[in-house]
């Protein structure tokens, strides 16, 4: 759900909300290498004497090639040579990962989670991708509030994990739930760290875009030492990263302000593409009205003798104001002097990150080992721009002329800051309209208060985590067994800070007049409680920057004095706490020998407690600003889980059975007892059949779960604001999954040619937690093949079909979800969602049909479906003096759709921007002596703005394909020193036009937004 803190225009926030950042070298492919199994087995032999490793999705050691589930791997060489500044960037560039719902890019929403980085496998929501480190859970960071950008859950902020110690990152599709527990519906990301490092390694890098912005720097150090004749090791990794932020007006594609509106003249389309879009919700300097009105094109706005609309300029005078071209939406204009959202758009946050981790192990005996981990992370991120606080009659819920904190300012003609020119023109307009114009009378001011609050928001986040345990092995007869007992505790503390306008102080500062010496001062504040135009006499809030009242001048952009700004502004703060305690016990080994090998097993017990708390300060809880009260939240749950796994190699090469070179079956199950959600059983079964050496067929079926998050369970009846889409609006009524149903339902509640204000502004909502929520359940399966012919050493190719069917999803009920759930339903008006909608029903009202308020509860009622084919391949060989390494990662999306409830149709998403039907990344690295040359191409197929559009919905349906070429040269100067030179987006390709008119564009095509960029780095190691 995207519930905003105050009423705000949604168009641009939707445009930039999904931007994805790129460092100068960050767009280089995190090649999901379908590793040459011989190289994988050789690497595995470095880890275990038997040549087996524990692959993600199983706790039973096996050859890497034997994994029965689709697995993508990003190795250390990929991370280092391609200079990824963080794990999220490396993963998000894989075709399987979708638009992240938490990142350093784009508008940061409420400001409670600025810069946090979550990954979103298969676009099913980041809360359905489980992140592990060394096969263990990691403490999350997502704030427990409905105002978080991400879906409710305990998602891991990947900014907190240093990169230099990583050996590889494995992403396994769907099958992790029975092995690791809740949340692995889409899949599991397992970050595997290097062990027993000995030596010293330090590197640094710096980058910048060709346009001279988006500078970034990083320094990393890794040191390790063996002691006790090799029985012990301690390794420490520390890293610092800095990234410059970016505002929208630095890029021409954002300055164009593309969008879709209802056509101004006769057209075959419901929506037409426009550019140079401007927005009126009050102007930066203020527009004056003689009546409490909203529309600039009406008769109430003040005009000069030439009939021109005027607005306050920087001198406080009323000067001609260029409206631009009006549209059917009274808040939207083409060109002119209204707000340009490019100036208010955050493209990337400014951030600084420090991460450190220490690993230790010591062999107490030949069969017992102690191990431990200590983690610390400190991140500081700043959102650079955002929408201001608005005062406009568009947002007023009071009767015209009555006070409303979001409505027009009501200004007496005696205001001491009024210039003579401005006052004379206002009086002239009042008199001409037959309205009173004495010093005791008033006019109205619509204003976008960009000079009071700027949208800046900061997050200061600390994370610490400790892991300790023992592992060992023993033997009974000829059978070998292994065991492990560990405890894991982590805690994330986040403090947000956002300069915010304090309403009681603002009203006192506006009550200005002259003292006996002729100075402009704050007058005694005694509003008349019987006058509907008077503000409430709420006590002054002393948590502002200054508690001394200073008179506030609103006439002109930049008119407020610093003293007045300090009096009306507070640094509103919240604290978010997420903690995790996890106790894990494992026992594994082999039971007896089968024809193809040992029947291996793993069993275990896990006890886990998840706790989250969100604590806003008095500014939020007492609603001293423009938002409704933002309430605190705290809650926890505990799980007790038992699980087991079997791997049965039924046939091996030694049996020499025709067409059954190898045959293996495997199964796993987990029983979960959640203290709130109750009990559940999740399981998986799969197998691998190799009819001949070098080719295998694999498959897997899994039932997985996601437990309700603390936010979904314990949220109080939280007021909020939401908006953005009304299916009954004239732009939308002819589209949707079944346009005829939508038209019929909407005709009963709205007039013809209806223009819905919720498309531009937000309305009050109530978000409701639900302690009766049950687990989400997914039934998923994969089938595919792996080709590793011995006749072609170094070659590996896999192709898999993936099918995920998720039911009883915990629906966050956005405004769009509620409204489409009602008006696209065949059971209207008795549909559940229709009971959550409050529209104006008086046909004689000017607001007839407008959405007045909504309820948005959490319920188990939705569904998600995903089907795709994924192909991964790699080929390594020597070509003359060159060593060549080629990789490819491809996804073809067959189906991606969602639905709000069982009686609403499925809404297709595949083919939309961010959900392209075809994506691939391919790379070629050539090595010759001390020089390596890396080249990578990323491709995103053609995409549409909305998969539900009909042929007549938009005059421009979508965008064409998008291709980016990245390159890097790595030079080994000496045995102990390397240099790296990276160029991202070599051809300086831009975003496909007009992608920024829709949503998801800046994320999908962000490297096109950055343009060509450069990075240099150096590495010293001993």
């Amino acid at each position: 759900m995207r519930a905003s803190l105050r009423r705000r225009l949604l168009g641009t926030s939707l445009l930039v909300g999904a931007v994805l950042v790129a460092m100068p070298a960050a767009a280089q492919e995190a090649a999901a290498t379908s590793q040459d199994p011989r190289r994988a087995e050789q690497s595995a032999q470095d880890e275990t004497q038997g040549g087996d490793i524990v692959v993600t999705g199983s706790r039973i050691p096996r050859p890497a090639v034997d994994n029965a589930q689709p697995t993508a791997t990003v190795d250390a060489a990929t991370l280092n040579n391609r200079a990824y500044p963080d794990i999220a960037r490396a993963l998000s560039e894989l075709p399987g990962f979708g638009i992240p719902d938490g990142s350093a890019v784009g508008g940061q929403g409420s400001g409670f989670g600025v810069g946090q980085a979550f990954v979103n496998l298969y676009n099913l929501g980041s809360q359905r991708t489980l992140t592990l480190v060394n096969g263990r859970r990691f403490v999350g960071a997502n704030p427990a509030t409905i105002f978080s950008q991400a879906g409710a859950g305990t998602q891991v902020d990947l900014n907190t994990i240093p990169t230099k110690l990583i050996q590889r990152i494995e992403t396994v599709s769907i099958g992790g739930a029975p092995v690791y527990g809740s949340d692995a519906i889409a899949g599991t990301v397992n970050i595997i760290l290097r062990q027993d490092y000995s030596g010293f390694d330090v590197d640094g890098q710096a980058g910048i875009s060709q346009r001279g912005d988006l500078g970034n720097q990083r320094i990393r150090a890794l040191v390790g030492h063996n002691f006790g004749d090799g029985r012990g090791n301690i390794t420490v990794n520390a890293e610092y990263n800095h990234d410059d932020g970016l505002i929208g007006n630095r890029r021409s594609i954002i300055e164009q302000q593309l969008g879709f509106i209802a056509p101004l003249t006769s057209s075959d389309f419901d929506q037409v593409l426009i550019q140079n879009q401007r927005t009126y919700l009050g102007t930066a300097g203020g527009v004056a009205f003689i009546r409490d009105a909203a529309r600039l094109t009406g008769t109430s706005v003040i005009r000069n003798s030439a009939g021109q609309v005027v607005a306050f300029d920087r001198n406080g005078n009323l000067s001609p104001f260029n409206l631009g071209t009006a549209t059917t939406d009274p808040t939207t204009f083409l060109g002119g002097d209204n707000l340009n959202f490019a100036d208010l758009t955050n493209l990337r946050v400014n951030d600084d990150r420090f991460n450190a981790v220490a690993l230790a192990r010591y062999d107490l005996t030949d069969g017992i080992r102690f191990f431990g981990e200590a983690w610390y992370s400190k991140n500081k991120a700043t959102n650079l721009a955002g929408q201001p606080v608005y005062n406009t009659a568009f947002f007023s819920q009071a009767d015209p002329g009555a006070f409303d904190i979001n409505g027009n300012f009501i200004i007496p003609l005696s205001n001491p800051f009024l210039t003579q020119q401005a006052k004379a023109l206002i009086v002239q307009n009042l008199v001409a309209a037959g309205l009173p114009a004495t010093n005791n009378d008033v006019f109205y001011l619509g204003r976008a208060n960009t000079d009071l609050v700027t949208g800046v928001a900061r997050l200061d986040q600390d994370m610490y985590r400790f892991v300790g345990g023992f592992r060992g092995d023993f033997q009974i007869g000829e059978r070998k067994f292994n065991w492990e007992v560990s405890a894991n505790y982590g805690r994330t503390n986040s403090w947000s800070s956002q300069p915010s306008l304090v309403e009681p102080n603002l009203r006192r500062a506006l009550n200005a007049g002259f003292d006996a010496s002729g100075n402009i001062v704050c007058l005694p504040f005694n509003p008349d409680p019987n006058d509907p135009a008077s503000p409430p006499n709420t006590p002054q809030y002393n948590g502002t920057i200054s508690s001394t009242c200073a008179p506030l001048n609103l006439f002109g952009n930049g008119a407020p004095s610093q003293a007045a700004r300090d009096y009306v502004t507070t640094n509103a703060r919240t604290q978010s706490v997420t903690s995790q305690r996890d106790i894990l016990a494992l026992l594994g080994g082999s039971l007896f020998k089968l024809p193809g090998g040992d029947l291996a097993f793993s069993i275990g017990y896990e006890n886990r407690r998840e706790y989250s708390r969100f604590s806003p300060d008095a500014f939020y809880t007492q609603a001293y600003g423009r938002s409704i009260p933002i309430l605190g939240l705290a809650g926890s749950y505990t799980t007790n889980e038992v699980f087991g796994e079997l791997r049965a190699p039924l046939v091996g090469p030694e049996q020499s059975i025709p067409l059954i070179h190898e045959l293996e079956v495997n199964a796993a199950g987990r029983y979960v007892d959640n203290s709130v959600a109750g009990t559940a059983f999740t399981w998986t079964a799969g197998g691998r059949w190799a009819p001949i050496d070098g080719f295998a067929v694999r498959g897997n079926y899994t039932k997985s779960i996601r437990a309700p998050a603390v936010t979904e369970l314990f949220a109080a009846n939280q007021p909020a604001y939401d908006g953005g889409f009304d299916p009954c609006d004239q732009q939308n009524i002819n589209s949707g999954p079944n346009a005829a149903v939508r038209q019929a339902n909407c005709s009963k509640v709205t007039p013809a040619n209806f223009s819905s204000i919720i498309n531009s502004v937000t309305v009050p909502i109530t978000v409701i937690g639900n302690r009766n929520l049950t687990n989400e359940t997914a039934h998923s399966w994969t089938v595919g093949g792996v080709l590793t012919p011995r006749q072609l050493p170094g070659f590996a190719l896999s192709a898999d079909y993936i099918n995920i069917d998720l039911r009883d999803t915990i629906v966050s009920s956005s405004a769009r979800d509620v409204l489409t759930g009602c008006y696209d339903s065949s059971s209207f008006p008795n549909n559940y969602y229709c009971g959550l909608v409050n529209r104006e029903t008086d046909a004689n009202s000017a607001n007839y049909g407008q959405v007045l308020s909504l309820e948005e509860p959490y319920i188990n009622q939705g569904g998600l479906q995903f089907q795709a084919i994924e192909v991964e391949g790699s080929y390594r060989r020597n070509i003359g003096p060159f060593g060549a390494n080629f990789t490819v990662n491809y996804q073809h999306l067959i189906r991606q759709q969602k639905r709000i409830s069982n009686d609403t149709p499925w809404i297709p998403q595949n083919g939309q921007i961010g959900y392209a039907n075809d994506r691939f990344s391919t790379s070629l690295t050539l090595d010759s002596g001390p020089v390596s040359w890396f080249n990578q191409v990323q491709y995103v197929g053609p995409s549409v703005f909305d998969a539900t559009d009909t042929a007549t919905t938009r005059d421009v349906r979508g965008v064409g394909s998008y291709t980016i070429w990245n390159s890097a040269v790595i030079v080994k100067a000496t045995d102990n020193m390397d240099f790296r030179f990276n160029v991202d987006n070599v051809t300086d390709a831009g975003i496909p036009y007009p992608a920024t008119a829709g949503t998801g564009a800046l994320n999908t095509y962000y490297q096109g937004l950055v343009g060509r960029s450069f990075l240099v780095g150096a590495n010293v190691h001993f």
Side-chain angles (χ1 to χ4, degrees):
M1 176 172 45
R2 295 292 183 268
S4 59
L5 292 179
R6 60 182 180 267
R7 304 174 178 210
R8 55 181 68 189
L9 190 78
L10 297 183
T12 298
S13 61
L14 289 171
L15 172 70
V16 303
V19 182
L20 182 63
V21 72
M23 302 301 168
Q28 297 156 0
E29 162 68 347
T33 56
S34 179
Q35 290 181 323
D36 178 353
R38 293 161 190 77
R39 290 194 297 113
E41 290 185 52
Q42 181 61 49
S43 175
Q45 288 172 4
D46 296 336
E47 298 179 44
T48 63
Q49 291 182 350
D52 289 347
I53 62 173
V54 176
V55 297
T56 304
S58 173
R59 297 190 187 275
I60 298 174
R62 68 187 69 206
V65 71
D66 284 353
N67 198 349
Q69 303 168 50
T71 302
T73 301
V74 179
D75 60 17
T78 299
L79 292 172
N80 294 330
N81 291 340
R82 301 172 192 180
Y84 287 109
D86 56 70
I87 299 168
R89 163 60 57 185
L91 292 176
S92 292
E93 291 187 357
L94 299 178
F97 284 85
I99 299 172
D101 49 13
S103 78
V105 181
Q108 300 294 302
S110 64
F112 298 153
V114 175
Q116 292 179 330
F118 309 134
V119 288
N120 181 11
L121 184 61
Y122 300 145
N123 266 317
L124 296 178
S126 61
Q127 70 271 39
R128 300 183 181 95
T129 301
L130 178 62
T131 300
L132 310 172
V133 175
N134 284 341
R136 298 183 187 87
R137 287 183 176 261
F138 200 92
V139 64
N142 189 22
T145 170
I146 67 167
F147 300 108
S148 169
Q149 287 202 102
T154 55
Q155 295 93 312
V156 175
D157 181 3
L158 294 180
N159 286 328
T160 63
I161 300 175
T163 57
K164 197 169 184 65
L165 194 55
I166 294 173
Q167 183 181 72
R168 64 184 186 276
I169 306 171
E170 294 179 340
T171 301
V172 61
S173 300
I174 75 174
V179 179
Y180 305 114
S182 174
D183 303 340
I185 283 178
T188 303
V189 174
N190 189 15
I191 301 163
I192 300 168
L193 305 181
R194 299 166 68 176
Q195 303 294 321
D196 293 343
Y197 175 78
S198 180
F200 175 77
D201 193 331
V202 62
D203 65 47
Q205 65 182 44
I208 196 168
S209 79
Q210 182 172 288
R211 289 155 179 82
D213 49 33
L214 287 173
N216 60 94
Q217 302 85 38
R218 181 182 73 183
I219 186 168
R220 307 184 299 174
L222 175 64
V223 59
H225 178 66
N226 292 319
F227 59 92
D229 294 328
R231 298 178 70 89
N233 176 271
I234 185 167
T235 300
V236 178
N237 175 203
E239 302 182 4
Y240 169 77
N241 287 265
H242 169 78
D243 296 281
D244 290 341
L246 189 69
I247 296 178
N249 57 23
R250 294 297 304 271
R251 290 296 182 269
S252 61
I253 188 67
I254 305 300
E255 285 192 307
Q256 290 182 47
Q257 287 295 285
L258 303 173
F260 285 96
I261 64 169
L264 303 181
T265 59
S266 178
S267 173
D268 294 331
F269 302 96
D270 300 323
Q271 301 177 46
V272 294
L273 179 69
I274 54 94
Q275 64 179 2
N276 205 22
Q277 180 174 307
R278 298 293 183 265
T279 301
Y280 173 74
L281 291 170
T283 69
V287 170
F289 296 86
I290 58 175
R291 300 181 185 87
D292 192 8
R295 296 173 181 258
L296 290 179
T297 55
T299 59
S300 295
V301 66
I302 290 178
R303 300 173 184 268
N304 61 18
S305 57
Q308 297 170 307
V309 173
V310 292
F312 285 98
D313 61 24
R314 288 186 174 272
N315 297 316
N317 294 320
L318 288 171
S319 299
F321 183 82
N322 180 8
L323 296 183
T325 302
T327 71
T328 56
D329 183 340
T331 68
T332 301
F333 295 81
L334 305 183
D337 295 337
N338 279 298
L339 288 178
N340 180 352
F341 270 39
D343 299 330
L344 308 174
T345 297
N346 186 83
L347 293 185
R348 197 209 189 281
V349 304
N350 190 93
D351 66 355
D352 292 272
R353 308 190 303 273
F354 174 77
N355 297 319
V357 59
L359 307 181
R361 61 93 180 159
Y362 188 78
D363 294 339
L364 302 174
T365 70
D366 289 343
I368 301 177
R369 169 177 289 188
F370 164 79
F371 61 90
E373 303 174 10
W375 297 70
Y376 177 72
S377 173
K378 186 172 187 63
N379 298 345
K380 292 186 176 182
T382 302
N383 185 73
L384 300 180
Q387 294 189 43
V389 170
Y390 298 107
N391 280 90
T392 171
F394 282 119
F395 290 157
S396 177
Q397 292 184 304
D399 293 332
F403 172 80
D404 187 291
I405 62 172
N406 297 299
N408 288 325
F409 288 115
I410 303 173
I411 308 291
L413 287 170
S414 60
N415 188 287
F417 289 111
L418 268 179
T419 66
Q420 289 300 316
Q421 183 267 355
K423 183 175 181 178
L425 188 54
I426 294 170
V427 168
Q428 178 184 330
N429 276 254
L430 287 168
V431 171
L435 297 173
T438 70
N439 276 349
N440 294 324
D441 295 307
V442 300
F443 69 98
Y444 302 89
L445 184 70
R447 198 172 195 273
N449 301 294
T450 57
D451 50 5
L452 294 180
V453 288
T454 62
V456 170
R458 297 178 177 87
L459 185 73
D460 190 341
Q461 177 176 287
D462 290 346
M463 184 279 296
Y464 58 85
R465 177 177 182 261
F466 302 97
V467 179
F470 299 87
R471 68 166 62 99
D473 54 65
F474 61 92
Q475 190 165 338
I476 300 177
E478 296 182 352
R479 301 290 101 191
K480 293 184 178 180
F481 300 89
N482 56 78
W483 59 271
E484 180 180 305
V485 178
S486 65
N488 170 0
Y489 179 80
R491 180 183 174 101
T492 301
N493 296 308
S494 301
W495 296 268
S496 74
S497 175
Q498 186 167 10
S500 301
L501 200 60
V502 177
E503 182 64 25
N505 295 25
L506 173 71
R507 299 302 161 175
R508 283 169 168 77
L510 286 174
N511 187 40
F514 294 103
D515 65 10
S517 301
N519 300 311
I520 300 177
V521 296
C522 295
L523 298 178
F525 187 69
N526 297 300
D528 183 355
N530 298 315
D531 182 0
S534 294
N537 194 358
T538 307
Q540 171 179 298
Y541 179 59
N542 292 321
T544 50
I545 297 171
S546 169
S547 59
T548 301
C549 185
L552 179 62
N553 180 3
L554 294 179
F555 306 131
N557 187 19
S561 67
Q562 187 61 52
R565 293 179 60 188
D566 289 347
Y567 176 65
V568 302
T569 304
T570 184
N571 286 313
R573 304 178 193 277
T574 70
Q575 182 186 19
S576 300
V577 176
T578 303
S579 69
Q580 179 186 81
R581 184 213 65 214
D582 195 15
I583 298 172
L584 182 65
L586 301 170
L587 176 65
S590 61
L591 298 175
F592 52 84
K593 193 167 186 64
L594 294 171
D598 287 339
L599 175 64
F601 79 96
S602 176
I603 58 174
Y605 166 77
E606 187 168 12
N607 174 274
R608 178 166 55 93
R609 181 179 185 268
E610 299 282 357
Y611 170 80
S612 295
R613 173 169 59 84
F614 177 72
S615 302
D617 70 3
F619 171 82
Y620 290 116
T621 59
Q622 302 301 313
Y624 284 118
R626 294 298 179 84
S627 76
I628 36 67
I630 296 177
L631 307 179
L633 183 153
S636 66
Y637 61 85
T638 303
T639 67
N640 286 284
E641 310 178 36
V642 292
F643 52 91
E645 181 183 359
L646 288 173
R647 173 178 178 253
L650 302 178
V651 177
E654 296 80 6
Q655 279 69 56
S656 300
I657 300 176
L659 297 181
I660 310 180
H661 182 71
E662 290 180 309
L663 179 63
E664 172 196 317
V665 295
N666 54 73
R670 177 179 285 250
Y671 176 81
V672 179
D673 185 359
N674 184 299
S675 61
V676 177
T679 61
F681 182 72
T682 177
W683 60 273
T684 186
R688 180 177 176 276
W689 165 50
I692 58 175
D693 183 19
F695 175 71
V697 177
R698 61 187 180 187
N700 167 271
Y701 184 92
T702 299
K703 177 188 175 184
S704 55
I705 63 170
R706 184 182 79 87
V710 167
T711 305
E712 296 161 332
L713 292 166
F714 299 106
N717 290 354
Q718 170 66 65
Y721 289 99
D722 199 4
F725 182 88
D726 187 344
C728 297
D729 184 272
Q730 60 181 320
Q731 299 181 57
N732 308 319
I733 196 168
N734 296 318
S735 56
N738 189 325
V741 169
R742 178 179 290 186
Q743 293 162 5
N745 293 340
C746 289
S747 68
K748 299 173 183 177
V749 295
T750 61
N753 301 318
F754 174 63
S755 181
S756 179
I757 198 69
I758 200 175
N759 282 358
S760 301
V761 300
T762 55
V763 300
I765 66 168
T766 302
V767 180
I768 305 169
N770 183 356
R771 300 191 187 190
N772 295 316
L773 291 171
T774 59
N775 294 317
E776 298 180 344
T777 303
H779 295 271
S780 311
W781 58 281
T782 70
V783 63
V786 181
L787 180 64
T788 55
R790 294 194 178 275
Q791 297 84 356
L792 194 59
F795 178 85
L797 180 68
S798 67
D800 294 274
Y801 170 79
I802 300 168
N803 185 307
I804 301 173
D805 188 359
L806 176 61
R807 303 298 173 96
D808 295 327
T809 56
I810 299 172
V811 179
S812 57
S813 303
S814 69
R816 179 174 186 146
D817 290 342
V818 171
L819 292 169
T820 56
C822 173
Y823 299 106
D824 286 344
S825 171
S826 58
S827 60
F828 173 90
N830 300 315
N831 170 273
Y832 170 82
Y833 284 98
C834 293
L836 307 177
V837 180
N838 176 24
R839 284 189 187 269
E840 176 59 68
T841 58
D842 183 359
N844 295 318
S845 170
N847 290 323
Y848 173 53
Q850 297 294 346
V851 178
L852 303 178
S853 63
L854 299 167
E855 292 183 7
E856 299 184 3
Y858 287 106
I859 54 174
N860 288 100
Q861 195 166 303
L864 296 169
Q865 290 185 342
F866 172 86
Q867 298 174 29
I869 294 173
E870 292 193 340
V871 177
E872 303 167 40
S874 66
Y875 184 42
R876 175 186 289 271
R877 66 166 298 172
N878 292 326
I879 305 174
F882 298 100
N885 183 22
F886 174 79
T887 68
V888 63
N889 187 309
Y890 168 74
Q891 182 192 80
H892 174 68
L893 187 59
I894 300 172
R895 174 177 296 176
Q896 181 115 34
Q897 57 185 13
K898 67 174 184 178
R899 67 176 178 182
I900 311 306
S901 64
N902 293 334
D903 62 351
T904 58
W906 288 98
I907 301 171
Q909 296 172 290
N910 54 295
Q912 294 179 172
I913 294 174
Y915 300 79
N917 288 330
D918 294 286
R919 290 179 62 192
F920 75 75
S921 294
T922 182
S923 68
L924 174 64
T925 303
L926 298 176
D927 301 316
S928 180
V931 179
S932 294
W933 182 28
F934 159 74
N935 289 277
Q936 178 251 353
V937 173
Q938 291 182 324
Y939 171 86
V940 179
S943 303
V944 298
F945 290 107
D946 190 329
T948 67
D949 284 352
T950 67
T952 60
T953 300
R954 303 173 197 258
D955 61 342
V956 179
R957 188 79 192 277
V959 300
S961 61
Y962 166 81
T963 305
I964 289 289
W965 171 30
N966 305 302
S967 188
V969 175
I970 300 94
V971 179
K972 186 176 182 180
T974 70
D975 289 341
N976 304 111
M977 180 175 289
D978 305 326
F979 293 98
R980 183 175 60 251
F981 307 90
N982 299 80
V983 181
D984 279 359
N985 194 353
V986 174
T987 62
D988 201 25
I991 294 177
Y993 183 87
T996 53
T999 59
L1002 299 184
N1003 183 342
T1004 306
Y1005 311 116
Y1006 186 72
Q1007 195 59 44
L1009 183 75
V1010 174
R1012 185 183 294 118
S1013 55
F1014 309 93
L1015 182 142
V1016 295
N1019 175 221
V1020 177
H1021 45 89
F1022 301 97

